[in-house]
């Protein structure tokens, strides 16, 4: 001020007061504008990554998916043959392993990714287009595309919008009403659901689970997202369910055991080998999917109102775990769940490279990038979440952190 002499301490106080005054008088619209500008920049960064990798798609991607199918068939022939004629436990175990590799590749690195439309870009491989593909898994393709692609990947971690947030009878957040059956969800899922995981997806995707909850829970489907079955009748849904699981059960537990018996070998041994490969595959896929989705927090539905905010919600709702490139194939590249949720229609083999660019964007904008050091650590984390929410809230109306699948 003119003519006024202030001590150093008074000057500091004066400057602080001025700054507070400027902060208090800043228009909310300016703050909102800054936030929107940041979201615009984040959207541009991730869109640029997506467009760069789309421009790279070509013959190598076609060769990759064809090569996977070829390797899958080789594993199937070796596995079936070893189970059929195996003279001892070692060859039997090898047979189980090769059949599992076949079932694994077909279920996730091929099937799951193809149904996301990752190979719809290539007219030369129509058999790998999402709407033509016949999944070698006990899952109805249309139900999966509608629930998984159309709801889960759009409304990820949005309460009562994402069907995979609390799938089946699972409770993974404090907002979902507690039911006495939740007390047993850890042993129920570890020893009942996961050994038959693939056979249970139809229950979620075709709406059977929500019908059960409506009758079994006093709060019905409160806390659970409803699946849109597009007007299909219960009879039509049941037909689709049994058609999809019947094609697998018929092949694995009737055709191959019968052929073994007809040629003088043990039908029981073949059926047992197929059952072991089936159970291993279900556990493997169940643990992979769950370990990369149980994260926090719940997302607001408003996340869909801005593509940049939607990208942030996907980063919030997914978590990776470390692993080699070869092992990533057996995980369907779902150990790169963050990249999969950001870019679900880019062929999964690109995710390890895309992850480097995603991490750089996250570092630039101070966005958390979640990655577990190992698959085992990721599994322990999600089992801990299941255990935590097995019990009722400490007090009525309490709201804790929220977690997802």
């Amino acid at each position: 001020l003119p003519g006024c002499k202030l001590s150093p301490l008074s000057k500091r106080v004066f400057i602080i007061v001025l700054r507070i005054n400027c902060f208090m008088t800043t228009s909310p619209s300016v703050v909102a504008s800054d936030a929107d500008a940041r979201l615009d920049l984040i959207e541009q960064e991730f869109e640029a990554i997506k467009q760069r990798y789309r421009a790279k798609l070509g013959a190598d991607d076609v060769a990759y998916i064809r090569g996977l199918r070829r390797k899958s068939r080789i594993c199937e022939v070796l596995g079936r043959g070893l189970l059929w004629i195996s003279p001892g436990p070692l060859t039997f175990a090898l047979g189980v392993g090769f059949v599992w590799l076949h079932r694994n590749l077909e279920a996730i690195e091929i099937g799951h990714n193809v149904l996301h439309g990752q190979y719809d870009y290539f007219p030369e491989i129509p058999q790998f287009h999402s709407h033509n593909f016949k999944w070698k898994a006990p899952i109805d393709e249309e139900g999966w595309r509608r629930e998984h692609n159309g709801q889960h990947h759009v409304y990820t971690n949005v309460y009562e919008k994402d069907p995979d947030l609390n799938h089946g009878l699972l409770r993974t957040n404090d907002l979902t009403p507690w039911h006495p059956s939740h007390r047993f969800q850890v042993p129920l899922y570890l020893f009942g659901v996961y050994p038959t995981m693939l056979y249970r997806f139809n229950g979620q995707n075709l709406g059977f689970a929500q019908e059960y909850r409506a009758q079994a829970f006093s709060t019905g489907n409160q806390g659970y997202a409803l699946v849109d079955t597009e007007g299909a009748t219960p009879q039509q849904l049941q037909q689709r369910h049994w058609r999809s699981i019947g094609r697998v059960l018929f092949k694995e537990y009737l055709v191959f055991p019968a052929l073994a018996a007809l040629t003088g070998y043990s039908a029981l041994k073949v059926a047992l080998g197929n059952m072991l490969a089936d159970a291993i595959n279900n556990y493997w896929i169940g643990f992979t999917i769950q370990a990369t989705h149980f994260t926090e927090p719940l997302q607001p539905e408003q996340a869909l109102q801005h593509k940049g905010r939607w990208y942030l919600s996907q980063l919030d709702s997914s978590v990776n775990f470390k692993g080699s490139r070869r092992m990533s194939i057996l995980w369907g590249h779902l150990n790169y769940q963050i990249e999969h949720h950001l870019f679900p229609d880019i062929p999964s083999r690109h995710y390890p490279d895309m992850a480097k660019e995603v991490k750089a964007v996250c570092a630039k904008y101070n966005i958390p990038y979640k990655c577990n050091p190992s698959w085992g650590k990721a599994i322990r984390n999600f089992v801990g979440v299941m255990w935590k929410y097995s019990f009722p809230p400490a007090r009525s109306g309490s709201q804790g952190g929220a977690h997802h699948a």
Side-chain angles (χ1 to χ4, degrees):
L1 295 176
C4 293
K5 293 184 178 181
L6 300 175
S7 68
L9 178 60
S10 299
K11 288 180 180 179
R12 290 173 63 184
V13 171
F14 182 68
I15 291 170
I16 290 171
V17 170
L18 282 177
R19 287 177 177 174
I20 292 174
N21 184 61
C22 289
F23 175 79
M24 295 298 292
T25 57
T26 299
S27 169
S29 63
V30 173
V31 175
S33 177
D34 290 344
D36 287 343
R38 181 175 183 269
L39 290 177
D40 289 340
L41 292 173
I42 290 170
E43 176 184 354
Q44 292 167 17
E45 296 272 12
F46 287 123
E47 286 293 313
I49 294 173
K50 180 168 64 177
Q51 294 308 321
R52 279 197 296 276
Y53 279 86
R54 277 187 177 172
K56 294 179 181 180
L57 301 182
D60 288 346
D61 297 284
V62 174
Y64 177 77
I65 193 66
R66 283 175 169 166
L68 279 177
R69 174 54 60 81
R70 183 167 57 252
K71 292 178 177 68
S72 169
R73 287 172 173 166
I74 291 171
C75 287
E76 181 175 25
V77 170
L78 290 173
R80 306 289 185 197
L82 286 168
L83 288 181
W84 204 321
I85 64 173
S86 59
L90 178 59
T91 49
F92 177 79
L94 286 172
V96 170
F98 278 116
V99 171
W100 167 70
L101 284 171
H102 160 67
R103 299 286 301 277
N104 173 276
L105 290 172
E106 292 292 343
I108 46 177
E109 182 65 357
I110 296 176
H112 167 250
N113 291 323
V114 166
L115 286 171
H116 268 292
Q118 294 182 5
Y119 297 91
D120 287 1
Y121 304 96
F122 309 107
E124 62 268 41
I125 48 171
Q127 70 273 29
F128 293 112
H129 290 181
S130 58
H131 286 275
N132 297 335
F133 187 72
K134 300 301 180 185
W135 209 351
K136 295 185 179 181
I139 305 171
D140 177 74
E141 293 89 351
E142 179 56 33
W144 178 271
R145 283 191 295 264
R146 185 177 58 253
E147 187 274 349
H148 183 74
N149 299 1
Q151 291 184 258
H152 166 59
H153 270 267
V154 175
Y155 298 98
T156 312
N157 259 26
V158 176
Y159 184 70
E160 292 190 334
K161 289 288 187 178
D162 178 4
D164 289 355
L165 177 58
N166 294 315
H167 58 81
L169 305 181
L170 197 60
R171 177 176 183 265
T172 59
N173 59 78
D174 272 337
L175 292 182
T176 302
W178 184 82
H179 186 271
S181 63
H182 290 134
R183 197 181 301 276
F184 307 102
Q185 67 181 16
V186 172
L188 174 65
Y189 271 74
L190 290 180
F191 304 110
V193 173
Y194 293 144
T196 55
M197 184 78 168
L198 293 175
Y199 294 91
R200 295 178 180 273
F201 277 122
N202 282 347
Q204 175 82 353
N205 301 341
L206 300 181
F208 304 140
Q210 64 199 38
E211 292 178 6
Y212 175 81
R213 290 191 300 262
Q215 298 178 9
F217 289 1
S218 60
T219 54
N221 282 297
Q222 184 181 346
Y224 296 85
L226 299 181
V227 173
D228 179 16
T229 57
E230 294 187 335
T233 66
Q235 293 78 13
Q236 290 171 329
L237 295 172
Q238 286 290 345
Q239 287 175 358
R240 287 165 57 183
H241 169 62
W242 287 109
R243 186 184 305 120
S244 59
I245 70 168
R247 65 193 178 198
V248 174
L249 294 175
F250 179 74
K251 176 182 177 181
E252 299 295 328
Y253 302 108
L254 183 60
V255 172
F256 284 110
L259 289 174
L262 289 172
T263 53
Y265 293 94
S266 172
L268 180 61
K269 182 175 65 174
V270 170
L272 177 61
N274 289 342
M275 185 180 300
L276 288 172
D278 211 355
I280 294 169
N281 197 42
N282 280 283
Y283 266 121
W284 184 279
I285 292 173
F287 284 171
T288 300
I289 293 172
Q290 302 281 255
T292 53
H293 276 94
F294 273 49
T295 183
E296 59 182 359
L298 288 174
Q299 298 300 314
E301 193 171 349
Q302 290 78 8
L304 276 69
Q305 295 175 3
H306 192 294
K307 189 63 178 290
R309 180 68 186 86
W310 181 84
Y311 277 125
L312 289 179
S313 76
Q314 300 305 306
L315 285 160
D316 269 351
S317 304
S318 307
V319 58
N320 291 358
F321 63 84
K322 293 182 179 180
S324 69
R325 285 193 178 239
R326 288 193 176 184
M327 284 299 298
S328 295
I329 295 173
L330 298 181
W331 289 314
H333 282 95
L334 294 180
N335 55 318
Y336 292 96
Q337 190 70 250
I338 290 173
E339 288 67 34
H340 175 59
H341 265 262
L342 294 174
F343 317 108
D345 62 348
I346 298 295
S348 62
R349 75 184 192 92
H350 295 287
Y351 291 161
D353 294 322
M354 297 180 88
K356 300 173 185 176
E357 298 192 34
V358 171
K359 288 179 185 177
V361 173
C362 289
K364 180 178 179 179
Y365 293 93
N366 197 27
I367 303 168
Y369 183 92
K370 304 172 185 177
C371 185
N372 282 301
S374 67
W375 189 28
K377 174 63 175 176
I379 291 172
R380 290 193 296 274
N381 285 348
F382 93 76
V383 172
V385 171
M386 283 202 295
W387 176 258
K388 176 181 177 180
Y389 292 103
S390 297
F391 305 101
R395 61 184 184 276
S396 178
S398 68
Q399 293 183 7
H403 303 257
H404 160 73

